[in-house]
């Protein structure tokens, strides 16, 4: 069974940094594009950043461009999101999600999701 | 970015009702539209991809239709386990974007 397990969420002050991880199992990790999707409390879903199976072609939402960096270590089956200059509006549950294709811009859906990790930005 | 607008934002229904949720895109995107179901405290679950392809294990009471800018999710006979929030998501161009959600609750 495919499993995605996020970690790294925490309470952080505005302007601070945090790194999220998503450990994958039950799949050939390097074959699939991965995306970070966040959900603010009581609000909808936003695709924050995505990356192709080989680690190339990352994209970012305008709201995080220049502050967040996505990466992956295929030897460790792990996806990362480095977040800096955090703002109150970054407070959300962060999910990692898999697309059933290699290229991040393949026109697929998200077929597997993790359980999410909570990031709270507050002083 | 492509903006996705769902309607209604919420609806109240009874078991056995036929429920229809619509999603409109700000630009034409062929059939690159997916539907998800989310229950409280859980991650979203994909129901339908490419506008009308039912995902494995999803009951046949769920169906999707549409192309271009207008799409529809239909639940033919609402069951107790279907009370949830439903989201559309476009996979035509990055960044992928979601609709704001439609909450289906008990009448």
């Amino acid at each position: 069974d495919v499993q995605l397990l996020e970690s790294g969420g925490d309470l952080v002050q505005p302007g601070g940094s945090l790194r999220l991880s998503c450990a994958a199992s039950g799949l050939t990790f390097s074959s699939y594009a991965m995306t970070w999707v966040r959900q603010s409390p009581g609000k909808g879903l936003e695709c924050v950043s995505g990356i192709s199976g080989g680690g190339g072609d990352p994209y970012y939402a305008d709201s995080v461009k220049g502050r967040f960096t996505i990466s992956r270590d295929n030897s460790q089956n792990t996806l990362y999101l480095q977040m800096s200059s955090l703002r109150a509006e970054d407070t959300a549950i962060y999910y990692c999600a898999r697309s059933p294709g290699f290229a991040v811009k393949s026109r697929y859906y998200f077929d597997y999701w993790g359980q999410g990790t909570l990031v709270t930005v507050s002083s | 970015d492509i903006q996705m607008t769902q309607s209604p934002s919420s609806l109240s229904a009874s078991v056995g009702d036929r429920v229809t949720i619509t999603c409109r895109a700000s630009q034409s995107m062929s059939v690159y539209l997916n539907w998800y179901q989310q229950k409280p405290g859980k991650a979203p679950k994909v129901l339908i991809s490419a506008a009308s392809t039912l995902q494995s294990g999803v009951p046949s009471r769920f169906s999707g239709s549409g192309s271009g800018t207008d799409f529809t999710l239909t639940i033919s006979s609402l069951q107790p386990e279907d009370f949830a929030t439903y989201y559309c998501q476009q996979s035509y161009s990055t960044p992928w974007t979601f609709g704001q959600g439609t909450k289906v609750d008990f009448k």
Side-chain angles (χ1 to χ4, degrees):
Chain A
D1 276 6
V2 173
Q3 292 194 4
L4 302 173
L5 183 63
E6 302 94 338
S7 61
D10 205 347
L11 170 63
V12 61
Q13 292 190 341
S17 299
L18 207 57
R19 188 177 83 157
L20 305 183
S21 300
C22 169
S25 60
L27 74 165
T28 304
F29 184 64
S30 60
S31 295
Y32 300 99
M34 298 293 295
T35 298
W36 287 98
V37 180
R38 70 183 179 185
Q39 186 167 34
S40 304
K43 294 187 179 179
L45 298 157
E46 179 186 17
C47 291
V48 171
S49 182
I51 191 168
S52 291
D57 204 21
Y59 77 84
Y60 299 92
D62 286 345
S63 57
V64 306
K65 206 169 291 183
R67 301 188 298 122
F68 290 12
T69 302
I70 192 171
S71 62
R72 61 192 297 162
D73 183 342
N74 287 342
S75 68
Q76 298 294 316
N77 289 352
T78 304
L79 175 74
Y80 301 101
L81 186 68
Q82 179 68 46
M83 305 185 294
S84 61
S85 302
L86 283 162
R87 306 167 181 167
E89 53 264 36
D90 296 318
T91 294
I93 296 171
Y94 285 73
Y95 297 100
C96 60
R98 187 194 89 160
S99 295
F102 179 83
V104 70
K105 294 182 179 178
S106 297
R107 290 167 166 168
Y108 283 121
Y109 47 95
F110 302 121
D111 59 352
Y112 289 97
W113 297 64
Q115 86 293 342
T117 188
L118 178 62
V119 173
T120 303
V121 184
S122 175
S123 54
Chain B
D1 299 0
I2 297 177
Q3 307 304 314
M4 307 301 296
T5 304
Q6 281 182 240
S7 61
S9 297
S10 64
L11 67 90
S12 297
S14 301
V15 172
D17 284 354
R18 181 181 181 89
V19 169
T20 300
I21 298 168
T22 64
C23 182
R24 174 163 288 177
S26 60
Q27 67 182 76
S28 181
M29 42 184 236
S30 186
V31 293
Y32 296 104
L33 188 284
N34 311 304
W35 289 99
Y36 298 82
Q37 177 193 67
Q38 186 179 33
K39 297 183 177 179
K42 300 293 187 181
K45 170 190 171 183
V46 63
L47 300 175
I48 289 170
S49 64
S52 61
T53 301
L54 197 66
Q55 290 298 294
S56 174
V58 175
S60 59
R61 63 181 179 272
F62 291 92
S63 64
S65 64
S67 67
T69 60
D70 294 313
F71 301 88
T72 299
L73 172 69
T74 300
I75 309 172
S76 60
S77 177
L78 198 67
Q79 297 302 300
E81 60 268 30
D82 301 337
F83 292 93
T85 301
Y86 295 85
Y87 294 92
C88 62
Q89 175 245 330
Q90 63 84 13
S91 52
Y92 183 75
S93 68
T94 56
W96 314 134
T97 47
F98 290 85
Q100 81 281 11
T102 296
K103 184 175 182 180
V104 177
D105 61 18
F106 292 99
K107 184 181 287 184

